[in-house]
Amino acid sequence: MRNLAQDYMVSAQYYAPRSKEKLMFLGEHISLKHLTSTDKLIGIIGDPGAGKSSIIKGMFPGLQLTNDDDIVNPKKIMQVRNSLYDTDIESATTFHIDVRFQMAFTQMYEIADFVNTVLSKNRRIVIEHFNLLFPALNSRNADLIVAIGEEIIVTRPSVFGPIPQSIYEMVHVSLKYRKMAHSAEEVTMLVLEEEFGITNEFYFISDIRNGFVLKFPQKPDIDLNDLGQAIEKRISQNINISYYDENNILLGDKIIPCNGSRFHVKNTSEIDNFYLVKELIYDPKTETYCLVALIDGFTDDVTNRNTHYFFKRQK
């Protein structure tokens, strides 16, 4: 049966937001826009901590994950073996498996057999770290792949690819920029509050590839040279950054509110090539003034940055 969606769609790309709520919202959007009723094998690709679980929860509300950040379900761990011999597969419509986690308890061929059994029963299965399982499936590709790094790539593979490992290599390389950018963002917000008296009530956060944007409805009176130097000074102090709870991080000895508390580098010394653009860029669509910071050293042609990074995919 011909799949017109597969014929005409190659990929779509989204910024990867840094909070669970935004990731779940984007997951819901991806599901509504890209998922069809005939998609049975869903591949999720990305490193641990990239936000795969949140995307899955947004795409498939109510789906019980094999392992979550806060709970591990022993019954779900053994479903790979048990479901081959009982009626569990008949009692559910969608299954989840984390290949990297599952490999600690079962052999790869058992995982592949389980996946094939689920698919033979016309059930849907969502597979995290799908690139690890792909060779064991005799190169049967997913119907839909969602990969998470600095960006989120949604692709519908055909006989011409993409191969899951190729997608993984792209997001694996880019994830570090997302973590560096979010960490630099936290330092910037702290400097704005402590040294310039500007709290987060005066702006909201937006995205740019390999960086971050703070959008001000009212043009702030800030010397950007002074601000840039203050931020660079804080970063150079090699401050530890660690998870505190779901809504806070530890930045040094300070507890800082954060809605993406798992998406950070461990120390500010890991933030490379920080650069604060020395002018506020006006966005006429949102009527805001954008404070733009980059962390990759590419500071030219900022207003055409998406062309370089999303279309040309320059490093």
Side-chain angles (χ1 to χ4, degrees):
M1 178 176 170
R2 187 177 181 188
N3 187 328
L4 292 179
Q6 186 180 54
D7 279 353
Y8 299 121
M9 177 194 166
V10 177
S11 69
Q13 298 183 61
Y14 300 88
Y15 289 117
R18 296 164 192 149
S19 72
K20 275 191 172 182
E21 291 75 14
K22 290 181 179 179
L23 281 166
M24 291 174 68
F25 171 83
L26 185 54
E28 180 183 12
H29 172 82
I30 290 171
S31 177
L32 292 172
K33 190 172 181 64
H34 299 286
L35 191 65
T36 70
S37 60
T38 58
D39 293 331
K40 302 302 182 183
L41 181 56
I42 312 300
I44 309 295
I45 294 175
D47 284 324
K52 299 186 300 300
S53 295
S54 296
I55 284 287
I56 293 170
K57 290 176 181 178
M59 291 183 67
F60 306 99
L63 177 63
Q64 188 174 13
L65 306 189
T66 306
N67 62 305
D68 208 338
D69 293 333
D70 302 314
I71 188 171
V72 174
N73 188 332
K75 182 179 179 181
K76 289 291 183 180
I77 293 172
M78 298 312 297
Q79 69 179 340
V80 167
R81 289 176 179 164
N82 296 341
S83 292
L84 296 177
Y85 307 108
D86 59 29
T87 59
D88 281 356
I89 290 181
E90 304 293 344
S91 65
T93 59
T94 302
F95 293 82
H96 167 266
I97 190 168
D98 182 328
V99 176
R100 183 168 177 163
F101 178 77
Q102 192 69 48
M103 287 169 61
F105 306 95
T106 49
Q107 299 295 316
M108 187 66 81
Y109 77 88
E110 293 179 290
I111 302 173
D113 286 346
F114 171 71
V115 171
N116 287 326
T117 301
V118 169
L119 294 173
S120 71
K121 299 290 186 179
N122 201 32
R123 299 301 194 263
R124 174 178 284 160
I125 185 163
V126 182
I127 303 175
E128 290 190 57
H129 300 287
F130 178 69
N131 54 300
L132 298 178
L133 182 64
F134 176 68
L137 293 177
N138 295 320
S139 298
R140 174 174 179 172
N141 215 333
D143 298 316
L144 191 74
I145 289 177
V146 180
I148 311 170
E150 169 73 6
E151 74 276 59
I152 293 177
I153 300 172
V154 182
T155 182
R156 187 173 288 281
S158 72
V159 67
F160 304 109
I163 300 300
Q165 184 62 25
S166 299
I167 296 293
Y168 169 74
E169 290 169 3
M170 293 167 62
V171 295
H172 170 71
V173 170
S174 70
L175 180 62
K176 66 179 181 181
Y177 293 104
R178 180 178 169 202
K179 291 184 176 181
M180 287 193 289
H182 192 24
S183 302
E185 180 182 77
E186 298 293 351
V187 174
T188 299
M189 293 169 65
L190 185 62
V191 169
L192 280 171
E193 181 173 353
E194 292 186 347
E195 300 188 26
F196 293 82
I198 298 175
T199 65
N200 58 10
E201 299 171 351
F202 294 95
Y203 57 82
F204 62 92
I205 298 169
S206 186
D207 291 287
I208 189 172
R209 181 72 186 273
N210 294 8
F212 63 88
V213 180
L214 304 182
K215 291 192 169 185
F216 293 80
Q218 302 295 326
K219 188 175 183 179
D221 183 16
I222 306 174
D223 186 314
L224 295 181
N225 287 304
D226 289 347
L227 176 59
Q229 290 174 10
I231 297 169
E232 290 173 8
K233 182 179 179 181
R234 290 288 183 103
I235 290 174
S236 68
Q237 293 173 352
N238 298 343
I239 304 170
N240 289 327
I241 306 174
S242 59
Y243 172 89
Y244 184 78
D245 59 31
E246 287 299 308
N247 300 304
N248 298 276
I249 61 168
L250 276 175
L251 188 58
D253 58 357
K254 296 182 176 66
I255 299 175
I256 306 294
C258 178
N259 58 10
S261 53
R262 297 181 187 274
F263 304 122
H264 297 90
V265 295
K266 295 180 180 180
N267 189 282
T268 57
S269 63
E270 298 177 41
I271 301 172
D272 294 330
N273 298 313
F274 176 84
Y275 176 78
L276 186 73
V277 176
K278 298 306 188 294
E279 63 174 322
L280 295 170
I281 300 175
Y282 182 69
D283 181 357
K285 292 185 177 180
T286 59
E287 298 182 342
T288 56
Y289 296 87
C290 301
L291 179 70
V292 181
L294 313 171
I295 44 85
D296 59 8
F298 185 78
T299 60
D300 298 330
D301 205 12
V302 173
T303 56
N304 198 28
R305 191 173 176 86
N306 283 345
T307 299
H308 295 284
Y309 279 94
F310 286 107
F311 302 135
K312 295 183 179 180
R313 298 203 66 86
Q314 291 178 254
K315 295 183 179 179

